[in-house]
Amino acid sequence: MSDASSPTPPAGGVDAPLVQTPRRVGRFGRGKEKSAVFRGVAAVGAPLFDRLARIEVRGAEKLPPEGAFVLAPNHYTNIDPVVVARLMWTLGRVPRFLAKASLFRVPVFGSLMRAMGHVPVERGGRTHDSDPLQAGRALATSGGGVIIYPEGTLTRDPDLWPMKGKSGAVRLALQAGVPLIPMAHWGSQHVMGRYSAKISLFPRRRIVAAIGDPVDLSPWRGRHLDQAAYTEATALVMQRITELLAGLRDEEAPAEQWDPHTKHQKETGRFEQP
C-alpha cells in the first residue's frame, strides 16, 4: 500500500495537541541512516507484516527526522517491537532497541540483531560486557534513535494499560542530553495476544499509534540526581504514555498505574494475576 499524505503540523509548536488525522504507514520509507542490513531485513519483513496489519499514526511529525532521541513506547504483546520498528522505518528512522540478551543467543536472528546495532541487556539491567546505557549513549551521541521500553517487560496490568516504569529511558535521555519522545500504540493484541506465539493471519488488523511531544525533562537536567528524582521523572514519562494510549483507546485510564510490587508479582516471566 502507499503512504497517505502527511498530516498538517499543528500550530503552536511542541505544546500543540496531537494531529487528529491519522497518517497511514506505507510499504517503505527513506532515510540516510538505513544500512544495507536494515534494507535487506525490511525488504523481506515489511511486506509480510503489511499483510497482517496496517498502522495509522498520529503525530508522525513529532518523531525527529534527524538527530538523536530516545523513544519510549508502551509494551503489552510480544509483537510490539515489530510494530514499533515498522512504524519508525517508514517514518525514515532506523529502529534500534535495548533488548533482552536472550534474543541475541537465537541462531541467525541474534546475528542479525547485532548487525543492526541493537544492544543486548542481561537480567539485572547490564550488557554482557558493560552498562547498557553506555552503549545507548554511544548510539545517541552518534545521532541515532534508541528505543527503550520504560516498563522493562510486558505490562502486568490486566487491561493492558501501562504499568509503573523503570528509569532507564530517563537516565539515557538525561545523560546523553537528547529528547525523550513518548509513544503509544493499540491493536497489536489482535495480531498476537499477550505471551502468545500465535499470529492472527486473517482478517488484516488495524493498529493505531500516537507519537507525543518530547517530555519536559528540564527540571532534572544539569544537576546531580538521586533515585527519587529518577523515579519522579519516570512517573512523568509513564503519565505521558498513558495519556497517549487513553486517546487511542478512547477510554479513561486507571487513576493509578499498576505496580507489580504492590500486587506481589514477579517482574520477569509470564503474567500472573494475584
Side-chain angles (χ1 to χ4, degrees), residues 32-33 63-70 88 92-94 139-146 178-179 181:
K32 60 185 179 182
E33 294 180 282
L63 188 73
E66 59 184 15
F69 63 92
V70 173
M88 278 191 65
R93 298 309 304 264
V94 168
L139 284 175
T141 55
S142 67
V146 183
V178 301
I181 312 296

Side-chain angles (χ1 to χ4, degrees), residues 122-200:
E122 296 285 357
R123 292 292 189 195
R126 301 190 68 82
T127 66
H128 179 69
D129 299 314
S130 63
D131 181 350
L133 294 185
Q134 180 179 351
R137 284 194 299 273
L139 284 175
T141 55
S142 67
V146 183
I147 304 164
I148 301 181
Y149 286 107
E151 295 166 275
T153 187
L154 302 185
T155 181
R156 266 54 179 159
D157 187 292
D159 296 320
L160 304 183
W161 289 100
M163 65 178 179
K164 184 177 180 180
K166 299 181 181 298
S167 63
V170 165
R171 288 175 184 271
L172 178 54
L174 290 173
Q175 291 174 16
V178 301
L180 194 160
I181 312 296
M183 174 189 160
H185 62 91
W186 187 242
S188 300
Q189 73 277 18
H190 300 307
V191 179
M192 178 183 285
R194 177 163 48 184
Y195 297 116
S196 174
K198 183 179 179 180
I199 296 177
S200 173

Side-chain angles (χ1 to χ4, degrees), residues 37-235:
V37 174
F38 268 107
R39 290 183 183 277
V41 171
V44 175
L48 293 177
F49 178 86
D50 292 344
R51 290 179 178 272
L52 299 175
R54 72 180 190 272
I55 306 174
E56 296 176 359
V57 58
R58 303 172 186 173
E61 76 287 349
K62 296 181 181 182
L63 188 73
E66 59 184 15
F69 63 92
V70 173
L71 185 70
N74 60 322
H75 195 15
Y76 57 99
T77 77
N78 286 325
I79 204 171
D80 291 345
V82 179
V83 173
V84 175
R86 182 71 186 93
L87 184 152
M88 278 191 65
W89 179 260
T90 304
L91 297 184
R93 298 309 304 264
V94 168
R96 290 191 173 95
F97 292 84
L98 292 186
K100 292 189 298 185
S102 58
L103 297 175
F104 292 77
R105 292 189 279 271
V106 178
V108 182
F109 180 77
S111 297
L112 280 174
M113 292 279 285
R114 292 184 184 279
M116 290 187 287
H118 303 298
V119 180
V121 181
E122 296 285 357
R123 292 292 189 195
R126 301 190 68 82
T127 66
H128 179 69
D129 299 314
S130 63
D131 181 350
L133 294 185
Q134 180 179 351
R137 284 194 299 273
L139 284 175
T141 55
S142 67
V146 183
I147 304 164
I148 301 181
Y149 286 107
E151 295 166 275
T153 187
L154 302 185
T155 181
R156 266 54 179 159
D157 187 292
D159 296 320
L160 304 183
W161 289 100
M163 65 178 179
K164 184 177 180 180
K166 299 181 181 298
S167 63
V170 165
R171 288 175 184 271
L172 178 54
L174 290 173
Q175 291 174 16
V178 301
L180 194 160
I181 312 296
M183 174 189 160
H185 62 91
W186 187 242
S188 300
Q189 73 277 18
H190 300 307
V191 179
M192 178 183 285
R194 177 163 48 184
Y195 297 116
S196 174
K198 183 179 179 180
I199 296 177
S200 173
L201 300 176
F202 183 84
R204 190 176 184 226
R205 304 296 184 172
R206 173 178 176 262
I207 297 173
V208 290
I211 299 172
D213 296 315
V215 178
D216 182 9
L217 296 178
S218 58
W220 297 278
R221 292 194 188 276
R223 63 184 181 90
H224 177 73
L225 300 178
D226 57 16
Q227 185 56 48
Y230 282 124
T231 298
E232 183 181 9
T234 300

